Amino acid sequence: LGSEGRNHSFSDIFSDLYGAANRGTQSAQPTQGQNREYPVEISFLDAVRGTQTRVNATRQAVCSQCNGSGGTSRLKVRPCSVCSGTGKMQETRQAMRFTVPCRQCHGTGQVPAGDCSGCEGGGLTQKVENLRVKIPAGIRQGSRVRVAGKGDAGELGGPPGDLFLVVKVQSHPIFSRQGINILCTVPVTISEAALGAEIEVPTVDGKALLKIPPETQSGQKFRLRGRGVRRAKGGKRGDQLVAVKVVLPKLRDERSKMILREFAELNPQNPREDLGLDN
């Protein structure tokens, strides 16, 4: 090998040697517990307004009988059989032997005695906890709500993980959502659309009055400001967009039909004239 190759090879060897030796001097450290996810389904209106929900969350908790040691109060731990209680083991790398923390006991030299009846020596037990969780207003489909410290218990006294509620929002028969705006469709009669009217429309806050002008077309949209979804940051609410749908009347007698024919004669109109059908 050239000088560059020899330097690179020696550098790798001494790097491994230093790293392994450094690991051998370290003892096991507390580690944080795993996070948990739990699905929760809420209504459309609860997602817009915010709500509180109850969940029965299952997680790994520290055994209350042995306080996580895995052993009884008389005998909580025993020497590790893999490292004979030293907490260290030998490892060979590139024809060199290094001292590293024992993988069985994580360098402590001790393992749970394993005679706790509450957890069968594991130190952890499954726990189902009933939690009341606040769902913020304006939450979206698929968003996650964090509940700190309600995940699995940590190892060696480490902090617990967190619980994340994954939110599913139910559809609504009237409302739909577009960003921070809410959309709905409201039917109107021919006379209301032609002459204009003040009509009641539903909102997530209850009823509201909407004034539609004369000659309103089917599909035309109107805006109710501040009736939408509240922003997560800043607190400002979006708007509600109301689409008008003109509903044709049911003609129950000849008099009604005659009135419509007379109306058509007095107001001649070809709504398809821009389609080029006369060419």
Side-chain angles (χ1 to χ4, degrees), residues 59 81-82 128 145 207 222 267-268:
R59 62 190 181 97
S81 59
V82 174
V128 179
V145 178
K207 298 177 183 178
F222 299 92
N267 299 271

Side-chain angles (χ1 to χ4, degrees), residues 37-63:
E37 286 191 352
Y38 188 88
V40 61
E41 187 172 353
I42 61 175
S43 70
F44 181 91
L45 294 180
D46 282 342
V48 172
R49 300 167 180 167
T51 186
Q52 287 190 345
T53 186
R54 286 194 175 275
V55 295
N56 291 320
T58 302
R59 62 190 181 97
Q60 292 291 321
V62 174
C63 176

Side-chain angles (χ1 to χ4, degrees), residues 85-126:
T86 65
K88 301 176 183 179
M89 57 189 301
Q90 298 296 315
E91 185 175 286
T92 301
R93 291 190 182 184
Q94 298 182 1
M96 301 183 70
R97 293 178 66 83
F98 307 124
T99 300
V100 297
C102 174
R103 293 188 179 90
Q104 180 69 21
C105 64
H106 305 288
T108 63
Q110 297 176 324
V111 293
D115 60 350
C116 176
S117 61
C119 60
E120 298 181 350
L124 299 177
T125 58
Q126 254 198 1

Side-chain angles (χ1 to χ4, degrees), residues 109-185:
Q110 297 176 324
V111 293
D115 60 350
C116 176
S117 61
C119 60
E120 298 181 350
L124 299 177
T125 58
Q126 254 198 1
K127 180 180 180 181
V128 179
E129 189 171 357
N130 185 271
L131 302 173
R132 189 175 183 87
V133 182
K134 182 179 180 180
I135 306 295
I139 197 164
R140 297 176 180 271
Q141 169 83 4
S143 296
R144 301 199 308 167
V145 178
R146 175 174 173 261
V147 186
K150 294 301 182 180
D152 287 344
E155 295 183 3
L156 301 176
D162 298 328
L163 172 67
F164 290 90
L165 301 186
V166 183
V167 177
K168 178 182 179 182
V169 180
Q170 298 171 350
S171 60
H172 194 276
I174 297 175
F175 303 115
S176 62
R177 181 171 173 177
Q178 189 177 70
I180 61 170
N181 294 329
I182 291 177
L183 290 75
C184 76
T185 299

Side-chain angles (χ1 to χ4, degrees), residues 185-200:
T185 299
V186 174
V188 297
T189 65
I190 288 181
S191 59
E192 288 174 333
L195 303 176
E198 190 173 59
I199 61 174
E200 282 188 340

